[in-house]
Amino acid sequence: MAIPIDVSGKTQSAAAWVNLGSAELVEVPCPKMNAGDILIEVEASGLCATDHKVCGGHTPSAARNVIIGHEYAGTIVAIHPETHTQLALGDRIAVNPNIYCQACVYCHSARVHLCQNLRALGITTHGGMEKYAVVPISQAVFVPPHVSPEAASLAEPLSCVLHAFDKGNVRTGHDVLVVGAGPVGCMLNAIVRAAGARCTVMEPNPARRKIVKEDFSADEVVDLDALPGCDGRFDVVFECVGRTDAMENALTCARPGGTVVWVGVARPDAVCKINPYLIYARELTLRSSFTNPYTMQRAVRFLADGGLNVEKFVTHKFSLEDFPKAWEAFERNDGLKICVMPNKSSAEIAAMTSN
Ligand SMILES: [Zn+2]
Ligand SMILES: [Zn+2]
């Protein structure tokens, strides 16, 4: 039987939001479990645009000095004696960072993601950009052992994308437009195609167009100059950029009776120009999607069944000691997903990526 790891009294390094505009490594005490918690050894922890917003001070709920990391997975190394679970030491889990109060009107009406007292690991409270992390058992989702840690760390972003996908009511044979070929756009493309719909991806960056076409098999990729030809063409449009011009353009691309889902996260003070007559005359449905209610399990299954080309999706891997390099690559907007592997040394990662 596996022996639990005891980290009490020890310290570790973690990436935290200390100064406005960046995240940096700090030395912190290892976390302590309470009843209902497990301790995991974090194997993979992704960086995402939300981290950028958090560290830039653009996420109103974010807490200063918080350990970042809300897209993470790891192995259970200790279970508090008063934690009730079927999970066992050694199990790999993915973390759902969004913690619902289970007491408000939304939690009581099957809309937990709209919880009035929402907390989030890595945003309002410490997350997983560290080697050992305490996770409330309610946030742990079992991952089959054949799923790699890197793939498991994608469960959270994929769960958000699945919720957005659900909002679009895509049907087999639909003509779908995804605006933006970043991580969210590439995931949506994979899900839309798996559902038997046709996926066109609009993206101004030629390198990203190439990636979504060659590595994620988009049916068609177009530059922004294709916009006039896209007017009124698509059954469903997903905007995955979060810029007001892209959000405005998304509306014009939907066909009469079509649905537009704003998936990208705009700045809290951004204001859009939309044409109410267009929405009226084409009887458009405009929807938004917020986080990942009830979709973590499906995300894990989609990953476990090979629904996403994870090898191509995780373009960079770094050790935690190399976190500054990971953040630099992230700031340069290199590749798609940057994954930090806190239980591996830089040499181990170099060996992994060279073969
Ligand atoms: Zn994220
Ligand atoms: Zn609630």
Side-chain angles (χ1 to χ4, degrees), residues 18-183:
V18 180
N19 294 304
L20 200 62
S22 74
E24 60 197 76
L25 284 179
V26 291
E27 193 70 13
V28 294
C30 286
K32 229 174 120 274
M33 287 189 290
N34 291 310
D37 289 337
I38 56 174
L39 181 73
I40 65 166
E41 184 177 275
V42 180
E43 296 172 290
S45 191
L47 283 171
C48 109
T50 298
D51 297 308
H52 210 253
K53 292 191 173 79
V54 164
C55 298
H58 302 299
T59 302
S61 60
R64 205 57 176 268
N65 296 319
V66 75
I67 295 169
I68 64 163
H70 60 275
E71 303 182 354
Y72 56 115
T75 301
I76 301 178
V77 292
I79 299 175
H80 190 280
E82 290 165 63
T83 297
H84 305 290
T85 179
Q86 278 71 45
L87 295 171
L89 291 182
D91 282 349
R92 179 167 291 147
I93 59 126
V95 176
N96 176 12
N98 298 308
I99 306 175
Y100 318 115
C101 77
Q102 306 298 352
C104 73
V105 63
Y106 298 99
C107 285
H108 282 164
S109 55
R111 291 170 291 173
V112 286
H113 60 308
L114 303 177
C115 175
Q116 290 174 304
N117 307 298
L118 188 65
R119 292 183 304 137
L121 300 167
I123 298 167
T124 67
T125 182
H126 292 324
M129 202 56 80
E130 56 187 349
K131 184 170 176 187
Y132 293 106
V134 162
V135 178
I137 194 65
S138 58
Q139 309 311 117
V141 179
F142 177 78
V143 174
H146 77 272
V147 178
S148 71
E150 301 92 304
S153 73
L154 298 176
E156 193 277 340
L158 186 64
S159 69
C160 294
V161 172
L162 275 170
H163 179 55
F165 170 76
D166 290 347
K167 289 293 197 111
N169 290 326
V170 171
R171 296 195 186 181
T172 302
H174 264 169
D175 203 2
V176 175
L177 176 67
V178 168
V179 180

Side-chain angles (χ1 to χ4, degrees), residues 173-178 185-186 188-202 209 211-222 233-234:
H174 264 169
D175 203 2
V176 175
L177 176 67
V178 168
C186 286
L188 257 172
N189 168 73
I191 297 168
V192 164
R193 296 196 73 254
R198 186 174 195 285
C199 193
T200 300
V201 180
M202 183 179 283
R209 279 205 301 276
I211 288 171
V212 74
K213 177 82 184 158
E214 291 178 7
D215 298 338
F216 299 95
S217 314
D219 292 293
E220 187 185 351
V221 290
V222 295
R233 175 182 152 188
F234 295 95

Side-chain angles (χ1 to χ4, degrees), residues 252-336:
T252 66
C253 296
R255 76 178 337 146
T259 298
V260 175
V261 186
W262 281 352
V263 189
V265 183
R267 286 193 173 210
D269 57 352
V271 177
C272 239
K273 257 199 290 184
I274 60 175
N275 179 345
Y277 189 84
L278 182 85
I279 293 180
Y280 155 74
R282 292 186 183 172
E283 204 179 48
L284 300 178
T285 301
L286 173 59
R287 309 189 77 179
S288 68
S289 87
F290 181 68
T291 72
N292 59 348
Y294 314 109
T295 46
M296 280 293 291
Q297 202 86 60
R298 283 165 60 203
V300 167
R301 193 171 303 135
F302 192 75
L303 290 162
D305 290 348
L308 185 74
N309 187 346
V310 174
E311 293 279 298
K312 295 288 185 184
F313 197 88
V314 177
T315 46
H316 296 67
K317 295 175 195 173
F318 292 95
S319 65
L320 186 59
E321 62 194 286
D322 280 340
F323 181 81
K325 287 185 195 163
W327 189 263
E328 267 172 43
F330 178 55
E331 294 262 85
R332 281 196 307 270
N333 213 0
D334 275 5
L336 273 180

